[in-house]
Every structure is written in C-alpha cells, then in structure tokens.
Amino acid sequence: MSDPALETEKVGGQTPSGEYEGSQQVEIFGRPTGWRRFYYHPTTQVALLGFVCFMCPGMYNALTGLGGGGQVNAAAQANASSALYATFAFFGFFSGTISNVLGARLTLTLGTLGYPLYISSFLVVNIHPNVTAYVIASGAVLGVSAAMLWTAQGSLMMAYPTEAQKGLYIGIFWAIFNLGGVVGSAVAFAENFHSTANGVSNGTYIGFVVLTVTGFFLPLLMVDPEKMTRTDGTRVVLARHPSWKAEFLNLFVALKDDPWVVLLFPMFFASNYFYTWQFNDYNGALFTIRARSLNNFIYWSAQIFGSVFIGYCILDKKSLRRRTRAFLGWVIVFFMVFVVHIWSYFYQKTYTRASEASNPNKIDIYDSSFPSHVWLMIFYGFLDSMWQTYAYWLMGAMSNDMAKLAVFTGFYKCLQSSGAAGVWRADGVGLPYMNIFLSTWGLTAAGMLFAFPMVYFRVKDHTEPEDETL
C-alpha cells in the first residue's frame, strides 16, 4: 500500500521530453508537491550524495593529496594504499551485486564506516611511530567499505538524471565532493602553516576524523530511490532483487550483452593510477608541508571547475547531438593527457627518489620556483576531474537502468583499484620516480585510445529499449 503523502499522479499516454523521445514510450508521473517537491528533487538528492562523499572520500583525498598521508616517511601510506586498493579491487567486482541486493542507500551508509578508521590510524602512528601495521590493516578495511560506497554512489548519480542532464548532475556531484578535498586541504594548510616538521599535526588528523564520522549519518537523510521521480516525470528504474546466485550471474551477463564496455577497461584501470605520482612522487617529494597543503587545496579547487566545465558546458550542451558531445569530450580529455604529461616530464627529469631523499631544501610557498610548479597541480586537477566525469558519462550513455549501471560501476571501481594497488605498491618498494611517471603517461594515453572505438560504435543519440536491462 502506497503512502498517500508520496503518491504521485500518473499521467498516461505521454512521453517525457529530452532524449527519451523517439527511443521508447514510458509512463509519466506528476512531481511531488509542497516541501517534498524540493526534498524529493533529483538535484537535492545528488547534492546530498555529494556531501556524503565530501565528508568521507573528500577527507581521504585531502589526506592523501598531502603526500604520504601527511607523514615524513611515505612508505606506510603507500603500502596502506596498496592494501586498500587490493581489497577494493576484489570487492569492487561484486559491489554492484551487493548494491542491488541491499539497496543503494544502505550500501552507501555501510560504505562510510571505513573512512574514520583509516584516518584515525595516521593519528595513532603520529603518536606511536612503530605501529605502521595498523595503518596497513586500516587501509585493507577501507578498501571493503569504499567499494560499497562508490558503487552505490555511481548507480544513484547516473540513475537520477534524465539523459540530457547526466553531464550536469555528474558535474554537480563532483564539485560538491571535491569541496571536501578543498576544505580538508584548507584545514591542513592553516594547521601547519608555521610547521617546520614536514609532517602534519595531531589536530589535523582529529579534525578529519570528526568530519568523516559526520558523513556516516548523511545517507540516513536521503530518500529511498524507489520514491524518486526524475524531472521529466519518469520514475527511476528500480534495481531488482533476485537471488544472490542470479545477481552474480548478472556480472557476466552484462559483459555478454554489452561487450563494448570492455573497451573502457583500460580507461577504468588508469583512472586512479596517476594519483601516486601526483601526490607522493611530485607533491610529497618536492615541497614543504605547508606548500604541499596549499598545492592540495589548489588541486581540489581546480577539480571543481574542470568537472563543471566538461559536464555542463560540453557533455550536456543541448545544441549538440549526444554523439557529437561524446567525440568532443574525448578530444578534450585526450589533449589534456598530453599537455599535462609533457609538462610533467620536464620537471621529473630534474630529480630522482635518491636525490630528494637527501635534499633538505624543499620548495616552499615563498620560493620563486613555486608558482610554475603549482600550475602543474592545477592542470592535473583539471585532467583528473575531466577524466572521471567523462568515464561516468560514457557509462550513463550506455543505459538508464539502475541495476545495469551498478554492475558497470562495479567494473569501473574494480579495475580502477587494481591499477592503483599495483602502482602504490611500486611506490612503497621504491621504484624510480621516472618509471612510475612514464607508466602513468602510457596508461592514460592507452586508456583514451581504447575508449575511442567504443565511443564511435556504441554511443548513440538516444538510449534504446534493449540497453535498459541486463
């Protein structure tokens, strides 16, 4: 029996506006009235989703972006990140199934639990330097919870907007989420402005833990997806709840029925790979702690502008066909890959891991070389946000079905984490900076080249009925 307060009026015989026209006939439902019209609006829910990630992954990003988790010795953080992404890779492959069975909101809530544990481990190691095993174990636990959080986030973010709004909604989410990195970096910068220790203070870690604990309660404020209506009157396509066996089979059915997604796998694999060189081998290696904090602040700020630019100005540009937008997005991201990495190469060839280990004179915010180096961080922020936004948009262009999108997001996070696990471990064992940099450049370029045939053959101007379900 439905709740009268939530009952919406069904209007038959119409089709929604936008890119659904000409592809399939769907039922339209009236929008809720009163305060529910705002609270149950997809934009409001995507914004709340963004604030969940603001508090949890946003604080994680702020900590990681400092290089070495804010520690003088980056080895413990690199090994913890390797453990994190290894467990993320395993559970990420099946997290789409978990989200379908438990529901996206419960999965999102459970996914927040690992973040305060992980950040608190750095507070512990700041006080007791010999308990690095606790940091690594916390990283492994965070990998499990993060797999659930990001899969639930991806399926919700891609299911709520209409086809014409997907780039905008991804941009809104990415902007709010990256504000977490901005705020966290600002806190770290203020706390450590006068520090000469080259590592962050206990107060910085305590502040991050408090914010991540707050993030656990935010999913409880979100509306159940089955009560959501898109802005064009169509209902969100609900995830089905068959047996666990059937859900696991969906992973393989998705590959069989939509094999084009395989061409996105190299792009998925590279999508977190570049963080290791950016944060540990560039920001962490070359700069003082306050310069690292400021770089981190500017990097996450740049991500906000990059995601809104490519999401709203390019991928949702209504005057262009969807296929045209897909090609234009590909060209922009591919161009940015080479601009950023050619620029980075000229810096990387001037230093090595050995030379920086014995160099006490790190670049500070008042040094003449700082402005040119920080501009590279800005462009890396643009590239990262454009890469992630474009990848999500491509998956959203393949289907509007929440269950299918959850499986695609699971693939994305599994492969993303596999790449990250490997490169963080390489950094933990001391692989030369240049080797990590060149592998990063090669993988990002290959990811875009493999994605091009998928964009050309699979992205259509409208989502067809056969693309809607597994």
Side-chain angles (χ1 to χ4, degrees):
M1 183 174 180
S2 60
D3 183 349
L6 302 177
E7 188 70 30
T8 54
E9 180 185 359
K10 176 180 165 183
V11 184
Q14 298 184 41
T15 57
S17 60
E19 294 180 3
Y20 288 98
E21 293 181 6
S23 62
Q24 56 181 308
Q25 295 292 317
V26 294
E27 296 175 330
I28 299 180
F29 296 81
R31 295 281 305 140
T33 58
W35 66 270
R36 289 183 177 83
R37 186 172 185 83
F38 170 78
Y39 188 61
Y40 283 68
H41 196 282
T43 304
T44 304
Q45 295 302 306
V46 169
L48 281 172
L49 183 63
F51 280 110
V52 173
C53 293
F54 174 106
M55 294 295 183
C56 294
M59 294 303 110
Y60 167 83
N61 284 345
L63 186 67
T64 304
L66 292 172
Q71 299 288 306
V72 176
N73 184 355
Q77 182 269 339
N79 289 322
S81 294
S82 180
L84 187 164
Y85 286 110
T87 55
F88 198 153
F90 177 79
F91 286 95
F93 193 82
F94 303 105
S95 56
T97 299
I98 294 170
S99 179
N100 287 343
V101 173
L102 298 182
R105 191 172 70 158
L106 177 57
T107 304
L108 184 71
T109 305
L110 295 175
T112 64
L113 294 175
Y115 290 91
L117 173 67
Y118 177 76
I119 294 176
S120 70
S121 71
F122 285 92
L123 175 61
V124 172
V125 83
N126 229 28
I127 300 169
H128 304 287
N130 296 323
V131 293
T132 55
Y134 176 51
V135 179
I136 297 172
S138 298
V141 173
L142 177 57
V144 178
S145 69
M148 293 190 288
L149 180 143
W150 281 110
T151 296
Q153 173 272 335
S155 59
L156 289 169
M157 184 180 66
M158 292 189 291
Y160 283 160
T162 65
E163 289 187 20
Q165 297 172 328
K166 285 185 175 177
L168 172 62
Y169 276 46
I170 294 170
I172 290 172
F173 166 82
W174 209 256
I176 296 172
F177 158 51
N178 283 318
L179 275 174
V182 172
V183 172
S185 301
V187 170
F189 182 63
E191 283 275 340
N192 299 283
F193 184 79
H194 299 291
S195 173
T196 58
N198 208 32
V200 302
S201 64
N202 291 343
T204 305
Y205 291 125
I206 292 170
F208 284 5
V209 169
V210 171
L211 290 171
T212 52
V213 170
T214 304
F216 169 78
F217 297 98
L218 291 180
L220 305 178
L221 302 177
M222 296 177 68
V223 176
D224 287 332
E226 59 265 25
K227 297 177 181 178
M228 290 295 299
T229 303
R230 298 186 182 104
T231 57
D232 63 358
T234 58
R235 284 288 178 85
V236 170
V237 180
L238 301 180
R240 298 166 304 285
H241 300 279
S243 67
W244 279 91
K245 180 179 179 181
E247 286 291 345
F248 277 108
L249 287 175
N250 281 345
L251 297 170
F252 306 101
V253 171
L255 286 175
K256 178 178 179 293
D257 291 349
D258 213 335
W260 287 107
V261 74
V262 172
L263 289 177
L264 294 181
F265 283 4
M267 187 181 186
F268 296 171
F269 188 84
S271 60
N272 268 13
Y273 195 96
F274 39 66
Y275 288 148
T276 302
W277 188 84
Q278 291 173 30
F279 296 148
N280 275 21
D281 303 345
Y282 180 72
N283 195 31
L286 295 180
F287 300 90
T288 64
I289 187 60
R290 66 179 175 184
R292 285 153 62 184
S293 301
L294 183 57
N295 286 346
N296 207 20
F297 174 83
I298 294 172
Y299 175 87
W300 295 113
S301 299
Q303 287 226 12
I304 297 172
F305 294 102
S307 62
V308 172
F309 167 72
I310 197 168
Y312 181 72
C313 301
I314 305 297
L315 300 177
D316 276 354
K317 192 173 181 61
K318 293 181 172 57
S319 60
L320 300 176
R321 296 166 51 206
R322 185 162 73 172
R323 280 179 57 80
T324 302
R325 286 177 261 149
F327 287 122
L328 184 57
W330 186 92
V331 169
I332 291 171
V333 176
F334 187 72
F335 175 74
M336 284 294 293
V337 165
F338 278 86
V339 167
V340 167
H341 287 94
I342 290 172
W343 188 353
S344 302
Y345 173 75
F346 286 100
Y347 287 144
Q348 177 57 85
K349 69 179 185 178
T350 64
Y351 68 97
T352 65
R353 190 181 293 273
S355 69
E356 287 307 312
S358 58
N359 179 17
N361 300 314
K362 303 295 184 181
I363 299 173
D364 193 36
I365 58 176
Y366 296 116
D367 292 345
S368 60
S369 60
F370 180 73
S372 60
H373 282 78
V374 79
W375 270 105
L376 178 59
M377 291 294 290
I378 293 172
F379 274 78
Y380 255 120
F382 287 151
L383 173 60
D384 182 15
S385 60
M386 290 179 182
W387 186 285
Q388 312 295 348
T389 301
Y390 187 59
Y392 274 116
W393 186 88
L394 287 177
M395 289 186 283
M398 298 175 74
S399 179
N400 294 311
D401 179 67
M402 198 169 179
K404 190 171 185 179
L405 291 174
V407 173
F408 284 170
T409 309
F411 287 146
Y412 177 61
K413 290 300 175 180
C414 170
L415 291 162
Q416 178 186 72
S417 301
S418 297
V423 71
W424 280 115
R425 181 56 182 159
D427 193 58
V429 299
L431 200 70
Y433 288 156
M434 182 62 81
N435 293 26
I436 294 176
F437 170 75
L438 292 177
S439 66
T440 301
W441 188 356
L443 280 171
T444 50
M448 294 305 297
L449 291 172
F450 274 95
F452 185 81
M454 179 273 170
V455 173
Y456 185 83
F457 290 107
R458 179 62 178 80
V459 176
K460 307 170 187 175
D461 287 327
H462 309 285
T463 301
E464 302 298 335
E466 60 267 22
D467 298 326
E468 287 301 319
T469 57
L470 291 171

